[in-house]
Amino acid sequence: MSAIVIFDIDGVIRDVAGSYRRALADTVEHFTNGAYRPSQADIDSLKSEGIWNNDWEGSQELVFRYFESIGQGRDRLQLDYDTLVAFFQSRYRGTDPENWNGYITTEPLLLQGKYLENLTANQISWGFFSGATRGSAEYVLVKRLRLEKPVLIAMEDAPGKPDPTGLLATVAQLDSDNNNPVIYVGDTVADMYTVVKAKNLVPERNWLGVGVLPPHVQENNERQEAYRTKLKQAGAVTVINNVEQLTPELIQQLIKDR
């Protein structure tokens, strides 16, 4: 068997509920002068719209929506995007630009290197396409998982999801024959939309979206099922609880079924 698996990073490779999402909530709270701090459910609701993959832009949008809810139009706000990004990064990366000391240092890993080694042993190529910055992505892939020169398309390398450009570029680095089926593993509606758009652009290849439930939604059965449903409605062929459940055997079965 030969196949390609491309992984999103946030919510798939690492748990970002206490890092990216915490920094997002901090940022919204700060720029609404402490009046509004979005909950995890609020952030999920925003991301379910399928266009807010960038957490800086998501932070800005929630700030705008709060002020609109109290009768202040976004066009009248003095909100500098670069200042917002700098505040977000001071929480996520931390205050030391050389030795990061922010929330990123506390992220739990959701897979181990042996899982990726097993994919390779089963003739399954793999890489990463993420909306995270290259620095943030390499922090987890290189520094923590000890991967050597992983195939990675990050924020700086391609338009944001659901634009499929980055996914196509990742696949191109792994498969020049344009034949092998591709599975993209993600935890958001935007991830699944990306697969659908890739399929529309390159219909001769077999594209499959596999959804992963991020840890924070698994604490509540109702939220878990609602989240699962949204991923399937967005195009996921299946939804799993943890990325390591995507075994070579399951990959083979998904490809056969399609």
Side-chain angles (χ1 to χ4, degrees):
M1 180 184 65
S2 185
I4 299 170
V5 179
I6 309 297
F7 300 96
D8 181 31
I9 294 177
D10 301 333
V12 175
I13 305 299
R14 59 183 172 191
D15 182 358
V16 295
S19 56
Y20 263 123
R21 283 169 166 260
R22 184 180 175 189
L24 188 158
D26 286 356
T27 302
V28 174
E29 184 175 44
H30 178 77
F31 286 95
T32 58
N33 303 312
Y36 170 52
R37 182 179 182 86
S39 65
Q40 293 284 4
D42 291 337
I43 298 170
D44 286 340
S45 179
L46 180 77
K47 288 184 174 291
S48 72
E49 296 174 16
I51 57 173
W52 303 108
N53 189 66
N54 183 313
D55 285 334
W56 301 338
E57 294 175 356
S59 300
Q60 177 180 246
E61 181 63 18
L62 287 178
V63 172
F64 281 148
R65 292 185 187 186
Y66 165 74
F67 282 107
E68 286 177 334
S69 75
I70 60 172
Q72 298 183 35
R74 63 178 65 196
D75 56 336
R76 298 173 58 190
L77 294 178
Q78 300 295 317
L79 180 60
D80 182 75
Y81 182 69
D82 290 339
T83 302
L84 180 145
V85 170
F87 180 88
F88 185 107
Q89 293 295 75
S90 74
R91 294 298 193 268
Y92 182 65
R93 290 188 175 186
T95 55
D96 186 338
E98 300 300 325
N99 299 294
W100 293 354
N101 56 7
Y103 300 155
I104 189 173
T105 62
T106 67
E107 294 169 334
L109 294 177
L110 300 175
L111 65 68
Q112 300 300 318
K114 289 183 178 180
Y115 167 77
L116 298 171
E117 293 172 5
N118 188 42
L119 294 185
T120 301
N122 282 274
Q123 298 183 329
I124 299 168
S125 301
W126 46 269
F128 305 90
F129 169 44
S130 171
T133 64
R134 177 163 288 273
S136 172
E138 289 184 342
Y139 184 93
V140 65
L141 299 180
V142 178
K143 183 172 182 177
R144 298 194 61 196
L145 284 172
R146 306 292 183 185
L147 303 180
E148 293 188 14
K149 297 181 180 179
V151 171
L152 167 67
I153 297 294
M155 176 192 287
E156 299 90 336
D157 307 315
K161 294 177 276 189
D163 188 306
T165 302
L167 178 58
L168 296 172
T170 313
V171 172
Q173 292 187 42
L174 293 166
D175 181 22
S176 58
D177 295 333
N178 205 42
N179 292 322
N180 292 314
V182 175
I183 292 176
Y184 185 47
V185 189
D187 70 316
T188 67
V189 167
D191 293 328
M192 298 304 105
Y193 285 170
T194 302
V195 180
V196 173
K197 288 177 178 289
K199 186 182 301 184
N200 290 336
L201 284 175
V202 189
E204 62 272 18
R205 190 192 282 275
N206 189 9
W207 299 88
L208 303 107
V210 170
V212 177
L213 295 177
H216 74 272
V217 305
Q218 298 188 46
E219 299 169 0
N220 178 289
N221 287 336
E222 184 176 348
R223 285 182 64 197
Q224 178 173 311
E225 290 311 308
Y227 203 99
R228 185 188 304 274
T229 297
K230 286 182 178 179
L231 289 176
K232 286 188 174 181
Q233 289 173 341
V237 297
T238 191
V239 178
I240 54 182
N241 291 349
N242 176 270
V243 63
E244 291 195 350
Q245 293 175 349
L246 186 66
T247 61
E249 293 74 22
L250 178 56
I251 290 169
Q252 185 175 27
Q253 187 61 52
L254 291 173
I255 292 170
K256 282 184 177 180
D257 290 346
R258 294 285 161 165

